[in-house]
Amino acid sequence: MTKTVRYFAAESEPQNTEKEEFVGVKKKRLKHNADNKQHIHKKKNHNQRHVSKKIPNPNPKYPGRAPVSKELLEKHTRGDGIQKSGVKTKFHQKKVEYKDLNVKYANQLAARVEVLLTEESGILEADIGETTTQYTQKDIVKNVDITAASKHFELQLRDFGPYRINYTRNGRHLALGGKLGHVATFDWVTKKLHFEINVMESVHDITWLHIETMLAVAQKDWVYIYDNQGIELHCLKMLNKVTRMQFLPYHFLLATGNDDGYLSWLDVSIGQIVVQYNSKLGRINMMTQNPYNAILCVGGSKGVVSMWSPNTREPVAKMLCHKTAMSSLHIDPKGVDCCTKSARRPYLRHRLNNSIANLSFCPFEDILGIGSEKGFTSLLAPGAGEPNFDAYEANPFQTKSQRKEAEVKALLEKEHAKVVKTVRHQIVNINDKTNKNDVTKEKSILDRFLPKQKKR
Amino acid sequence: MKVKVITRNPDEYLRETKKDLHKAPRNYDPNLHPFEAAREYVRALNAVKLERVFAKPFVGNLDGHRDGVSCLGKHPTKLSILLSGAYDGEVRVWDIPQQICLRHFVAHDGIVRGISYNPNSTNFFTIGDDKTIKTWYADIPNNASEEEPLNTILSKTVITGISHHQTKPIFATCGEICQIWEETRSEPIHTYQWGVDSLHDISFNPVQQNLLSTCASDRSIILYDIRNTGPVRKVILKLRTNRLAWNPMEPFIFTCANEDYNLYTFDTRNLKKPVNIHVDHVSAVIDVDYSPTGREFVSGSYDKSIRIFEAGKGHSRDIYHTKRMQRVTCILWSLDNKYIVNGSDEMNIRIWKARASEKLGTLKPREKTALNYNSALKEKYATHPQVKRISRHRQVPKHIYNAQNELRTIKQKLKKKEGNRRAHSKKGKVPFVPERQKHVVKQDV
């Protein structure tokens, strides 16, 4: 549940002093690390800092650019900056310092342009003495504008349920897969149906691939890929008895878990299996991806969530979340919090008259989609979605030509499956602390990003 | 109850007419950009690969000479005109964009040693082994049979090189002695000598215009001041210098192509040691020329290859070669900083792009931004091992590859031997001599 909050800096002066202090602390630490030669160098800097602090503002009426608030800077930070210690020559020290300044400057600029964002996130505030949970969908729909109200709807599909649902990455299109073979996709905003078929087999899961013209359906035996007219493009016999699927968009991997506990990663751009192994968890009923590092989280029957990457055959991490079996598993879009079925405090409440099969928030909208035993319900959940999308990542208003362009671009910068890791920003930090002592390790990390060269 | 949900007005997100650009709202929140760094790295890798894919530097060749090309001459104002002289005494004038010969005639008996336009490009001068200096009209005569020199000067001594003053109607020649001529006179206005009777290259400084330098067969480089003093300084290297080029932006810097496979950049204020040594060639370097920006220079070598160096760097940034190109005899960098032209032993003149993967012709704005972005990425990730490896890799001909290995072994051997000698001598008897001081024998003032 991301929320865009506008932070406005209060006063400029205390902010400045804080910054100075911050620099001071850093210097001290550096000094501590530095040898004698550097010591002199740093001393000089220290003096400069002292001087700059003493100069009074010649025109206090115009204090200059408003400082950026700490929270915003924190939000837009891309890692810890550049590690300056361990650089031997003065020349390169200067270079690194300059680079670090650039990184900080970029961080500030990114934080500054937040002011330009046009949309604001949805809210739901209770009056005094009331709680948000007591508002029903009816109340909410009554109190919002007509376009928003039209986003709450229900599809009654009694015959082929329960339904699995999946939104595209830009939140515009929706795919429904009924257990008894009903597969349908439509643009849920305009309610325009793309296709509707019955595959005459059981459907276990459904997921969009990188664009809305391709769709993977896990059927009774194999996984099938359909296009946006319902034409069968591929039948993937190497993925059999699949129960759950996840598409990793940046790696072009279709990750699947099957009835026997096998996990497979299929590269959809070349149609080949990257890796396939037995997780030894038995039938996989719950599987989701961490959008931040593309690691698969599998919920087991013993209340354990295990995390899997295509690079190791062992789970990268395991967590005991419940003492009993879980029934649902979700990860927030930042990839920081993982939520199994145990809400902290309810925010909204809605009663359905049949059992829920599948839940999913619609990206960039305040919508919660529910696939249930007898159809699909789209609920308004104010504050659930990110109001400001980035058109270069996912654009709900994408045209056909933009989609084509984006597909090519995305394929060109396809990540190698070996980049599926738990650590973020690792690639930029070649001078990482963990790698510092081991030069060969640095090389090996980077080598992993490319397939090995063929020997002639 | 206060409630608001996200509603977007499509008018704010869609373009109004078909001719508008698509609207692209941005949000730099890192949470919306997963794998940002890793994707950027892939982009950088793609950029550097594309650079190598598009690296097709050969533009075309000019054939027509019936003997090896001995010298080339730049037109001072027209980019399209090129002069060339051959070993059989023939001179040709070329139109580079059309790749045709505009004019050709036999100028000398024997080899044409040098060609130079005058600064206002009305005439050009050729010198040859027949001891003559001939002046020719730059304009093409109506009839090819009317090719007659405007003026012929018979020199008393052998002439091997010519260089024209940047602005004045003065030119200098070298040979047994260094002579300064005025265009209208038939006798030299100055002659300079400094203990050596065989000079093989001469060049005026384009910025500090009174300064002149020659390369001599006694392995020396001599600097002259034509105001009155004559020879000013002399530096003797371990091996002969073949050619010398002044930096057009830094008047005190020159680079010389040496017989010992290296190029040396000197500062005229201190000739005791070179500012930089440029290695990579595997045979004698024959010719060198600076780019008009003074940031780079190009060298042609006896190893049948051309190398481009950045002025401050010790290793070349690129190597050009073809299967058919033989020993390179002369080279020049065009005045628009885009092309390199070289003449070689097998009678051809070749035209190359100065930046191998550059797209020729005008660029559309989107192309421009894409290229700028790519170059920024390449710079950012330049030190990453894979990026570095790809951008540095060059396929070289077998003879160069083998020679490189051989030279490496020789160098290692010498180093080892010196180390051994040091280890078995009295302390201080075998001193450590920096590489830059090894190649200069002495400096005379």
Side-chain angles (χ1 to χ4, degrees), chain A residues 75-76 78 113 117-125 127 135 140 143 145 147-148 151 250-251 291-294 334 364-366 382 385-393 397 399 401-402 405 412-415 427-428 430 446-447 450 453, chain B residues 1-15 21-43 45-46 49-50 366 373 379-387 389-390 393 395:
Chain A
K75 183 185 168 190
H76 284 276
R78 263 99 170 149
V113 288
L117 298 180
T118 49
E119 300 285 341
E120 282 179 26
S121 65
I123 41 165
L124 175 60
E125 274 176 18
D127 294 336
Y135 301 131
I140 293 172
N143 283 297
D145 57 296
T147 20
K151 287 174 183 172
Y250 296 105
H251 304 79
Y292 211 91
N293 51 16
K334 291 176 194 170
F364 308 115
E365 291 283 356
D366 286 342
E386 166 66 48
N388 294 294
F389 59 86
D390 189 309
Y392 290 164
E393 287 286 350
F397 297 96
T399 62
S401 61
Q402 278 178 316
E405 184 84 358
L412 277 176
E413 54 200 57
K414 185 182 88 167
E415 289 298 318
I427 189 125
V428 256
I430 46 167
L446 289 151
D447 281 346
L450 270 185
Q453 278 203 313
Chain B
M1 132 191 224
K2 194 177 154 194
V3 62
K4 184 190 163 290
V5 293
I6 300 166
T7 42
R8 296 190 186 89
N9 185 359
D11 293 344
E12 284 164 19
Y13 291 95
L14 296 171
R15 56 180 180 174
L21 292 176
H22 284 291
K23 284 181 182 172
R26 301 300 310 271
N27 186 351
Y28 295 99
D29 184 355
N31 296 322
L32 292 183
H33 302 274
F35 299 101
E36 207 173 14
R39 274 151 70 201
E40 195 174 57
Y41 176 77
V42 174
R43 248 176 270 151
L45 213 53
N46 286 347
K49 280 178 192 168
L50 281 182
R366 280 176 68 186
Y373 179 61
E379 200 186 320
K380 183 176 176 184
Y381 287 91
T383 48
H384 276 61
Q386 293 291 0
V387 175
R389 182 184 66 80
I390 295 167
H393 176 79
Q395 198 76 37

Side-chain angles (χ1 to χ4, degrees), chain B residues 121-166:
Chain B
S121 67
T122 49
N123 304 322
F124 61 85
F125 304 91
T126 60
I127 51 159
D129 271 1
D130 53 1
K131 288 196 200 172
T132 55
I133 304 167
K134 290 184 180 176
T135 314
W136 307 82
Y137 269 126
D139 299 328
I140 304 168
N142 297 330
N143 195 341
S145 61
E146 286 170 19
E147 288 286 9
E148 282 294 321
L150 185 66
N151 188 18
T152 308
I153 301 167
L154 190 64
S155 166
K156 284 170 191 157
T157 58
V158 172
I159 299 176
T160 52
I162 184 171
S163 176
H164 205 287
H165 191 279
Q166 195 69 15

Side-chain angles (χ1 to χ4, degrees), chain B residues 62 72 82 96 298 306 330-334 339-343 349-352:
Chain B
L62 310 171
L72 291 171
L82 175 76
I96 297 181
V298 62
I306 297 167
C330 44
I331 198 153
L332 59 84
W333 198 308
S334 78
Y339 300 97
I340 286 164
V341 182
N342 85 300
I349 296 165
R350 290 193 168 75
I351 305 161
W352 308 83

Side-chain angles (χ1 to χ4, degrees), chain B residues 169-171 179-182 185 187-192 226:
Chain B
I170 292 173
F171 61 88
Q179 293 167 310
I180 312 294
W181 306 75
E182 200 162 69
R185 299 193 187 182
E187 289 293 321
I189 50 173
H190 293 295
T191 54
Y192 301 127
I226 62 161

Side-chain angles (χ1 to χ4, degrees), chain B residues 280-299:
Chain B
D280 267 355
H281 276 299
V282 293
S283 190
V285 191
I286 302 296
D287 199 358
V288 58
D289 192 26
Y290 261 96
S291 78
T293 58
R295 295 287 195 82
E296 288 169 319
F297 59 83
V298 62
S299 65

Side-chain angles (χ1 to χ4, degrees), chain A residues 67-86:
Chain A
V68 194
S69 77
K70 247 184 177 179
E71 293 90 338
L72 265 185
L73 281 177
E74 187 56 39
K75 183 185 168 190
H76 284 276
T77 185
R78 263 99 170 149
D80 298 333
I82 295 163
Q83 202 196 335
K84 290 179 213 157
S85 62

